[in-house]
Amino acid sequence: MTGVTIRGLGVSLPEEIRTNADLASMVETSHEWILTRTGIVERRIASATVATSDLALGAARQALANAGVEAEEIDLIIVATVTPDMLFPATGCLVQEALGARRAASFDLEAACSGFLYGVSVGAQFIRTGTYRRVLVIGAETLSRIVDWSDRSTCVLFGDGAGAAVLEPAPEGEGLLGVVLGADGGHADLISQPAGGSRRPASLETVLQGEHTIRMNGREVFRLAVPAMVRASEQVLAQAGLRVADVDLFVPHQANARIIDAVGERLGIERERVFLNIERYGNISSASIPVSLYDAETGGRLRPGDLVLTAAFGAGLTWAAAVWRWTGATGQDRALSRVRSLLEPGTWES
Ligand code: UT7
């Protein structure tokens, strides 16, 4: 048992939907521009009383239920986020308390859009070494809180949400088959929230200049994202002794449908094998991959036994890719096998 798998997945997405039309009434943009340049139709926005830890908690509870695990059984909680409730204490500690995960150690991890895969990689090491048995990895964001709602070049892109995964030991060859992580701090300035940290502490001036909001050179990020995601995907497949042809479903970070198209094309993965849900959520950073895996499985696109490739890219710059032999994480497989058993002749009365 040196393998690691996602035993349960959960998501939490705010109810409020902000459409492209809503944004067109706030800044000079249009539904057509947003859709054709990004693939986004709408995004979720957390209500004023909801913070990142609240979304993380909702996703965590569902992930625990789907894994059939009690909060007391969790050994470690890792929250990947760029929008923590506050700079410290860690959002992970707030989740630990609210969840009642009394035995768990907890910390936050900041690798932006690659954060969930970074968290999975860290959690998997603890399980492989036998230090811990159950690790809860959460990607949770309230990006609407750090978006400049008067900047049309960024405000149309981001949304709020959370996805959580319970990692557990699994037989070798099941679950996570390989992970590749990378970073390039030489391009740290391309996406950032410049003020509010030790370099530029919060002041009246930083607030007046809107420096607590996301600043991004979108065109340059786009240019660097495509080759980095392709390279990481190729590396992780090679590491696991697999080929692109073996991949049943590619689940990329959802930042821009054009980035995803370009990555799929360069890898040689046709559209039918690429999962997209950006139209509904926009870019939810660290929550993007767990929410996509959840949607893929509950939507019937991902089944136990499938080979899944995941890849992400974001601020830092950071990137990551992971390849999985999927073992089922939302109870869909159990529900399906129950339906099948009910449909078998002679079992109707049972
Ligand atoms: O999660 C990882 C981090 N983020 C990303 O991966 C984002 C990567 N970048 C992107 O997704 C794209 O670069 C954007 C969607 C941000 C922008 O798309 P683009 O095709 O690169 O557009 P652009 O920045 O080159 O801008 C083209 C034009 C500009 O007008 P001019 O200078 O050509 O007259 C912009 O001012 O589009 C204009 N524009 C807009 N027009 C209408 C920029 N934003 C908007 C908007 N509505 N919302």
Side-chain angles (χ1 to χ4, degrees), residues 209-240:
Q209 291 178 2
E211 291 182 69
H212 300 82
T213 60
I214 299 174
R215 300 293 171 86
M216 179 172 76
N217 178 340
R219 208 178 294 189
E220 200 52 19
V221 173
F222 192 123
R223 194 180 69 75
L224 295 166
V226 176
M229 288 173 78
V230 170
R231 225 177 308 116
S233 299
E234 287 172 344
Q235 282 169 356
V236 81
L237 287 171
Q239 189 192 90

Side-chain angles (χ1 to χ4, degrees), residues 27-30 33-34 37-38 113 151-158 191 216-223 225 253-256 258-259 283 285 313-315:
V27 289
E28 189 155 344
T29 189
S30 66
W33 192 95
I34 302 170
R37 306 308 288 171
T38 72
C113 304
D151 174 10
R152 69 174 184 176
S153 71
T154 52
C155 78
V156 302
L157 303 174
F158 299 101
I191 327 178
M216 179 172 76
N217 178 340
R219 208 178 294 189
E220 200 52 19
V221 173
F222 192 123
R223 194 180 69 75
H253 168 54
Q254 312 276 319
N256 186 317
R258 286 158 52 223
I259 293 180
N283 182 349
S285 193
F313 183 89

Side-chain angles (χ1 to χ4, degrees), residues 59-129:
R61 285 195 171 129
Q62 192 186 12
L64 291 180
N66 278 332
V69 162
E70 299 295 328
E72 291 82 6
E73 296 178 278
I74 296 293
D75 300 304
L76 172 67
I77 300 173
I78 302 173
V79 174
T81 186
V82 293
T83 47
D85 284 25
M86 53 200 110
L87 281 177
F88 73 91
T91 297
C93 293
L94 307 178
V95 174
Q96 183 240 11
E97 166 63 16
L99 203 55
R102 276 171 283 276
R103 289 181 45 242
S106 189
F107 62 89
D108 287 3
L109 182 157
E110 206 273 80
C113 304
S114 314
F116 178 75
L117 293 182
Y118 264 69
V120 162
S121 174
V122 173
Q125 310 299 327
F126 280 109
I127 293 175
R128 286 218 170 91
T129 56

